[in-house]
Amino acid sequence: MGKGYTGKVLIVDLGTKSVTEEEIPDRIYKQYLSGMGLGAYMLYKHIPAGADALGPDNMLGFVSGLLTGTGSLFTGRWTLVGKSPLTGGWGDANCGGTFSPAIKRCGYDGIFVRGISETPVYLYIDDHVKELRDASDVWGKDTVDTEAHFRKDWKGRNLGIACIGPAGEGVSLISGVATDNGRMAARSGLGAVMGSKRLKAVVLAGNKRINPHNRKEMKRISAICNKWVQFQPPFMTSTMMAGTGALMRALPSVMAQDGILYKMMLKKWGTVSMNQMSVEMGDSPIKNWKGSSKDWGMFKSHSSNPDNFTKCEEVKYHCYSCPLGCGGICSTSGKYRETHKPEYETVLSLGGLLLNKDIDSIFYLNELLNRAGMDTISAGHAVAFAIECYEEGVFTKKDTDGLELTWGNTKAIVSLLEKMVAREGIGHILADGVKQAAHRIGKGSEEFAVHAGGQEPAMHDSRNDPGFALHYSVEPSPGKHTVGSGLYYEMFKLWHVVDGLPGVAPFYMKGRKYKVDEEKAKVGAANSQFMNVVNGSGICLFGTFLGAKRIRVFDWLNAATGWTLTPNEYMAVGANVQTLRQAFNVRHGIEPKSFKVSDRALGRPVQTKGANKGRTVEIEAMMQGYWAQFGWDPHTGKPSEETIKELEAGL
């Protein structure tokens, strides 16, 4: 009889070449879970205050979820953690695929790396061997070729591989880490940390079994969840999605969303199902956040129609333990004949954000950036920033290496991104994201740099859903869309299982979204707490959209561990993780208020046309209300010294 977690982590020092194990007490799992929470525990404990994110004292962690491998569904996610060179504070990136169970099959809940190697190396682990090996023959290769190299060497082995490409090797602050031929743990610039350490890859080949406490109960709960996943009416078309978005824009009221509808869309098209619908309803930022659906209406955005991406889909694929299967491998006639189906974020950051309606270029750039190991969200923002600089006269044609950077100029957009990957010419200035680029350029370019604490926000317009503005601004890793919003809370339906949380009416007026009150603060805090539980468990965000009664996260955790915690007690665990991550930032000199998302994303100045016309988000009041829910100083966002001392005493 097991307990879901292994109870230990591996710590590798690249400078001394030492490899050691650290036992993790059961009380730590009960206080922080695994995944994100275990990462927070390890980083707070091991990274000294003020450590250089690109120096030897930073620790990079590859952490599996507590529920991974236990027989639960949607639990194939892993989390990459470290001090972010992009924001200067807590950094994390989440990814699916097959790497998460590979960590636990090696007998660990996490693998943590510190120090800097003198030469390129990779880390190899199986049931008997844990060692650093020379990587000079793969240094310089892209992520897909790197993975192919290792799979050829160990043909027939069940390998989990995480690696960096040229962007990470070049220490681009918007680089990530890839698995499964281009699946990206893209955010927070942690690929740059891996590159600075000269760690090319982590190759895992363990075969240890993962045992839950009650396998029979795990199976029973999973069967309930799977019934909802397999429910799939055939009536939806891509034209309906665009029309639904336009209708939602026009109506004065909002219908609270049930995630079962989004599940159906994901199962049919994947995340690209939202492309045109999001544009029409005002969810997708357009033209570097200064445009609107009026600039990218149905005629122009037709290039992002989901059918255009799925018609060349050769095969769908599932992440580990996922019954949904929203991923796909596509065949194209371009340079890369086989590629992952682009995700929603990629299509809109390389499409609507730039007014680029060339679908072939999006397929090409998606593969180019995945192979380079560069975050498509941040890369798209960097290009949008550059185009606006050119439009406003900050850049001349000489500055852009002869590129005519105008909206929708596909050839120039492709060339600029290729330069960013190579850190060549103007690409070198942009390869570290918009905040760094604006700092280097000056000349008022800061106005065009849309970010939160240094990280570019995702393709969900906070003027349409103020919940995104809140989480872009208050999360210890800012600018991310995978934590919370008003829409997410509606789909989580946590009030059905967690006592004391506000419910959502079936219909409500749109103006209600912009009202700042204690109820909204409770919603924001609940989103963060729940997603810390989710990320500590290794669960996919898309699975949680089924709702708390359909995907029984808390019941799975009890069945896996043998615990008897209530949903409210698990939410308290989520609060522990949030406070520890916030304390990490404060310890490293971060002023939480500095993470507030750029004014343009808040409707300052207000838009005069399009879906978000006249809308402004009162973010300062929202941030204060959110911080108060955690018991932090509502004016600074800092946990009290007493709270931090209590945390440190328990580490």
Side-chain angles (χ1 to χ4, degrees), residues 124 167 444:
Y124 175 79

Side-chain angles (χ1 to χ4, degrees), residues 1 23 152 217 245 259 295 367 379 457 462 524 552 606 620 645:
M1 186 177 291
E23 299 285 335
K152 183 180 179 181
E217 179 66 1
D295 301 287
E367 185 69 13
S462 35
R552 300 184 179 182
V606 297
E620 290 80 9
K645 285 180 181 178

Side-chain angles (χ1 to χ4, degrees), residues 217-238:
E217 179 66 1
M218 297 296 296
K219 185 176 181 180
R220 185 190 72 82
I221 300 168
S222 295
I224 294 170
C225 177
N226 193 43
K227 286 181 181 179
W228 288 102
V229 176
Q230 300 312 321
F231 174 66
Q232 189 73 10
F235 61 84
M236 292 185 298
T237 67
S238 59

Side-chain angles (χ1 to χ4, degrees), residues 14-83:
L14 296 168
T16 64
K17 311 296 183 187
S18 65
V19 180
T20 58
E21 293 182 353
E22 181 175 327
E23 299 285 335
I24 307 296
D26 286 347
R27 64 176 178 81
I28 296 300
Y29 290 96
K30 210 164 187 177
Q31 190 172 358
Y32 298 111
L33 302 179
S34 189
M36 176 87 84
L38 178 59
Y41 165 77
M42 289 294 293
L43 265 57
Y44 196 94
K45 182 178 177 182
H46 288 281
I47 300 177
D52 181 357
L54 299 176
D57 288 336
N58 196 7
M59 176 178 272
L60 187 67
F62 305 78
V63 198
S64 186
L66 193 151
L67 288 175
T68 297
T70 61
S72 48
L73 302 182
F74 292 105
T75 49
R77 308 291 295 188
W78 63 282
T79 303
L80 183 68
V81 297
K83 182 174 181 179

